[in-house]
Amino acid sequence: MSKKIAILHTSFVFVSVEPVINNLIAELIPDAEVMHFVDSDVLATVQRENGISRKSEERMTHLAQAAEAAGADIIFSACSSLGPALDVAARNVHTPVIKIDEAMALRAASDGTRIGVLATVPTTLGPTSDLIQAKANELGRSVTIEQRLCEGAFSVLMSGDREKHDSMIIEQATDLAGNVDLIVLAQASMNRLAPVLQEKTNLTVLSSPRMGVDYLAQRVAELAV
């Protein structure tokens, strides 16, 4: 029997602009039934407030509860910025909750020593870096993390100008590469650029979608047992 996967979104980027998550689920979990739950303002709220408030936590909890009420077997969060709010949401539902960047953070903490975190939304830098540090602590590894913001690139992407978005990220990644031995792309919306950045920087460049959906597929398989 196919499993119902609920994807929680904090913008329409993966619904209408970048189909990468849907494509990966179709490839890796082809028999899954996918449902989308979107609060397209909560990310903007976190940006305005420069952090995750109790209200934002409640909104993500309500989104997860709506997914559970709709019969989801597993919940997949597509937003790295709201990671800490998803921890709160997970405690308020019985359905398993998976973060898109969970597997990527573990890989970064395992393989990197000087880790660069590149983001196009400022609110993603802290949660992604904190998740990597938490994984490193679990592994008993000492890492340093350098955060780098490609300011304005996400807005450019949402306006539909992929070419400008891409060139902005390539410029920042090339500069960051001089200081680190591994680069983490903090947003799944940067996923398309991972192969290009790896070639230009000659470093390992980690991006969350395939790793995240692969981990989701493992968890879905476990549910079927």
Side-chain angles (χ1 to χ4, degrees):
M1 181 182 291
S2 66
K3 295 297 181 181
K4 287 187 177 182
I5 299 172
I7 306 178
L8 307 189
H9 302 273
T10 58
S11 79
F12 280 100
V13 66
F14 295 123
V15 180
S16 59
V17 181
E18 291 282 0
V20 58
I21 293 175
N22 282 335
N23 292 346
L24 284 168
I25 290 176
E27 175 192 340
L28 298 173
I29 323 171
D31 58 345
E33 180 183 338
V34 178
M35 305 180 290
H36 297 276
F37 294 81
V38 186
D39 182 335
S40 63
D41 177 69
V42 68
L43 180 58
T45 299
V46 170
Q47 290 173 309
R48 283 195 303 271
E49 296 176 350
N50 199 30
I52 301 171
S53 66
R54 177 70 64 84
K55 284 287 186 185
S56 294
E57 290 177 349
E58 289 174 357
R59 287 166 70 173
M60 294 308 294
T61 297
H62 292 157
L63 216 58
Q65 288 171 335
E68 185 169 71
D73 294 298
I74 196 161
I75 296 170
F76 186 67
S77 171
C79 180
S80 298
S81 291
L82 273 293
L86 262 296
D87 294 333
V88 176
R91 293 195 291 270
N92 287 278
V93 293
H94 300 291
T95 307
V97 177
I98 307 296
K99 297 178 188 176
I100 191 170
D101 52 357
E102 209 166 326
M104 179 181 70
L106 180 59
R107 170 81 183 277
S110 301
D111 294 359
T113 302
R114 295 176 298 134
I115 301 166
V117 176
L118 181 61
T120 58
V121 176
T123 50
T124 312
L125 282 171
T128 300
S129 301
D130 290 346
L131 187 58
I132 294 169
Q133 186 63 61
K135 297 297 184 183
N137 292 344
E138 289 173 13
L139 295 170
R141 297 200 74 238
S142 176
V143 300
T144 59
I145 299 172
E146 179 170 339
Q147 300 180 350
R148 181 69 62 91
L149 175 65
C150 191
E151 196 162 0
F154 188 75
S155 297
V156 169
L157 176 65
M158 292 306 289
S159 74
D161 192 342
R162 285 191 181 189
E163 190 173 333
K164 183 178 179 183
H165 166 268
D166 294 357
S167 66
M168 291 170 73
I169 291 172
I170 290 168
E171 181 181 351
Q172 287 287 349
T174 303
D175 184 63
L176 177 62
N179 305 334
V180 299
D181 56 34
L182 181 149
I183 293 176
V184 169
L185 303 182
Q187 277 124 243
S189 55
M190 305 156 78
N191 175 68
R192 289 178 299 103
L193 291 167
V196 176
L197 298 179
Q198 193 150 305
E199 183 180 340
K200 287 187 176 293
T201 63
N202 204 30
L203 296 177
T204 296
V205 177
L206 300 181
S207 182
S208 59
R210 180 169 288 275
M211 299 175 74
V213 175
D214 188 53
Y215 179 54
L216 174 64
Q218 293 175 38
R219 295 294 301 270
V220 169
E222 289 168 6
L223 291 175
V225 173

